[in-house]
Amino acid sequence: MTQPVAFSPYDYRVHEDPYPVYARLRDEAPLYRNDELDFWALSRHQDVAAAFRDPSQFSSANGVSLDPAAWGPYAHKTMSFLALDPPRHTRMRALVSKGFTARRVRELEHQIRGLARRHLGPAVARRDFDFVADFAGLLPMDVISEMIGVPEADRDDVRKLADTVVHREDGLFDVPQAGMDAALTLVGYYADLLAQRRSARTRPDDLTSALLQAEIDGDRLTDDEIIGFLFLMVVAGNETTTKLLSNAVYWAWRNPAELAKPMADPGRIGDWVSETLRYDASSQVIARTVAEDFTAHGQTVPAGQRLLLLIGSANRDPAAFPGPDDFDLDRDTSALISFGSGRHYCLGANLARLEAQIALAEFTRLVAAYDIDDGGAQRVHSVNVRGFAALPMRVQVR
């Protein structure tokens, strides 16, 4: 007799391959209840998309992570406006957007390409390298650090702290002590950086300085709000883009006919990025609080309960994407919800896509073919993020 479907975002087996579990959830328990960890979960595309578009019913006020240490009314201190509802969310996002403009992102293109070449050139020259350690794990942090104004000498330490914040230990259903310590260290680092910018007579043209100067009708961001946003940038922005890049090269390698398309035609790299975002999204799970009693699929979720929106499952829903388990660069990906939807649509989506397209363009410019050591690949163990901690490969140079 088949056992009822069981799902936990802490389960290392789920981290290795969540998609068979997601398929069962969509079919057998589209509104799933986990009594042990006290959460509900939606897995179908229609339900997840609708929840994203209804922030009054599905509140972000307690944060977006299931971890008890990251859940509650103070979640915004590290998750910034991700953990706020309107009108506080509206105000905070509007002020932050003053520093995170489309122009500022576009102007980064030359810097991103230069950073990509700086890291990728020496790695490719060695023929054998770890795609994460030598490239994908370096580029997004350097891009964010350039934006924020983090000195180059500090970036390795900041990167290691960010990795420690998202890592989850097997059998522990919360942020490990090492992760809490790393979070406090990061907050302290950004507080010092902000104090330096505030006291400087002349400020560099970076995001930190822009946030200090952001103003709407006399309203400005507080120091705590700026620090929370910088923390969000380094943890969420860095980690998700690193995983997007490694997922892209991994799944293209596993599907040679699809890899051949962008290798032959750089104009297909945007399709490569979009299909990776759908097929194996780096951001898999996001949490909400049910504001009022909510009924779906014959069950009622009481107000105040935790609800997980399973982005990774929604992007593999055959009702939204025919043949969802095929990695297909020719498909229509317009319905993907990897960056959320509605008021909480990811502010950094354009930057993530730009970074990924430049990084993969540089990779295909230098590399004629590559082979991944599947046995040496190691996955990240995280509640929210999916991707690789190590991805050793051997390349043939063009």
Side-chain angles (χ1 to χ4, degrees), residues 63-135:
V64 297
S65 173
L66 190 62
D67 293 325
W71 183 263
Y74 299 107
H76 64 278
K77 289 187 176 294
T78 52
M79 284 292 102
S80 189
F81 57 84
L82 286 192
L84 294 174
D85 289 331
R88 294 176 70 199
H89 171 271
T90 307
R91 168 195 169 269
M92 177 75 180
R93 183 165 178 134
L95 281 165
V96 165
S97 296
K98 290 283 186 179
F100 203 88
T101 61
R103 176 189 62 81
R104 189 176 289 273
V105 171
R106 285 195 305 271
E107 289 175 350
L108 283 170
E109 183 171 351
H110 178 72
Q111 285 179 293
I112 294 170
R113 184 165 284 107
L115 290 167
R117 290 178 176 179
R118 188 171 106 189
H119 293 308
L120 193 58
V124 169
R126 294 197 303 272
R127 306 295 196 272
D128 288 282
F129 64 99
D130 185 329
F131 185 80
V132 175
D134 297 322
F135 182 53

Side-chain angles (χ1 to χ4, degrees), residues 1 12 31 68 79 116-117 120 122 131 135 147 161 190 205 210 242 258 270 308 323 335 350-351 358 361 364 379 397:
M1 182 176 177
Y12 271 31
L31 177 59
M79 284 292 102
R117 290 178 176 179
L120 193 58
F131 185 80
F135 182 53
M147 288 185 72
L161 289 167
Y190 288 120
D205 182 24
T242 291
E258 299 307 300
L308 299 187
N350 289 336
L351 176 60
I358 291 173
T364 56
R379 287 206 167 270
V397 179

Side-chain angles (χ1 to χ4, degrees), residues 20-303:
V21 179
Y22 289 160
R24 289 192 62 191
L25 287 172
R26 291 191 302 269
D27 290 344
E28 302 170 28
L31 177 59
Y32 172 77
R33 171 64 183 169
N34 186 310
D35 289 326
E36 180 187 5
L37 297 177
D38 190 24
F39 72 82
W40 300 76
L42 289 171
S43 51
R44 291 182 180 173
H45 186 279
Q46 182 178 7
D47 293 333
V48 174
F52 272 129
R53 293 192 298 268
D54 191 356
S56 60
Q57 171 65 292
F58 303 100
S59 167
S60 301
N62 289 308
V64 297
S65 173
L66 190 62
D67 293 325
W71 183 263
Y74 299 107
H76 64 278
K77 289 187 176 294
T78 52
M79 284 292 102
S80 189
F81 57 84
L82 286 192
L84 294 174
D85 289 331
R88 294 176 70 199
H89 171 271
T90 307
R91 168 195 169 269
M92 177 75 180
R93 183 165 178 134
L95 281 165
V96 165
S97 296
K98 290 283 186 179
F100 203 88
T101 61
R103 176 189 62 81
R104 189 176 289 273
V105 171
R106 285 195 305 271
E107 289 175 350
L108 283 170
E109 183 171 351
H110 178 72
Q111 285 179 293
I112 294 170
R113 184 165 284 107
L115 290 167
R117 290 178 176 179
R118 188 171 106 189
H119 293 308
L120 193 58
V124 169
R126 294 197 303 272
R127 306 295 196 272
D128 288 282
F129 64 99
D130 185 329
F131 185 80
V132 175
D134 297 322
F135 182 53
L138 303 177
L139 178 64
M141 178 61 78
D142 276 357
V143 171
I144 289 171
S145 294
E146 289 275 340
M147 288 185 72
I148 290 173
V150 173
E152 195 165 334
D154 295 347
R155 293 177 190 176
D156 281 343
D157 289 340
V158 171
R159 185 182 302 112
K160 289 172 185 174
L161 289 167
D163 289 342
T164 303
V165 168
V166 301
H167 176 74
R168 294 297 173 267
E169 295 175 3
D170 195 10
L172 180 64
F173 303 139
D174 202 349
V175 183
Q177 186 61 49
M180 295 183 190
D181 293 343
L184 288 173
T185 303
L186 270 178
V187 167
Y189 179 85
Y190 288 120
D192 291 344
L193 180 67
L194 187 59
Q196 292 169 15
R197 288 292 187 279
R198 190 178 289 283
S199 63
R201 291 186 177 182
T202 57
R203 296 171 183 161
D205 182 24
D206 58 32
L207 180 61
T208 305
S209 299
L211 293 173
L212 274 171
Q213 297 166 28
E215 178 183 343
I216 298 177
D217 297 332
D219 186 18
R220 291 180 178 270
L221 294 164
T222 67
D223 283 8
D224 283 349
E225 287 172 334
I226 296 174
I227 292 165
F229 180 68
L230 297 180
F231 185 93
L232 172 65
M233 285 278 291
V234 77
V235 174
N238 166 58
E239 284 297 323
T240 53
T241 308
T242 291
K243 276 53 181 179
L244 167 59
L245 291 174
S246 59
N247 290 346
V249 296
Y250 180 78
W251 291 115
W253 171 73
R254 291 285 300 268
N255 294 271
E258 299 307 300
L259 173 61
K261 296 171 183 176
M263 293 296 276
D265 177 9
R268 299 301 307 275
I269 287 173
D271 298 328
W272 187 5
V273 173
S274 292
E275 177 63 348
T276 303
L277 284 165
R278 183 204 69 84
Y279 187 81
D280 200 14
S282 46
S283 181
Q284 288 273 309
V285 177
I286 201 160
R288 293 288 190 263
T289 302
V290 176
E292 298 178 0
D293 290 2
F294 161 66
T295 300
H297 304 290
Q299 298 182 87
T300 297
V301 182

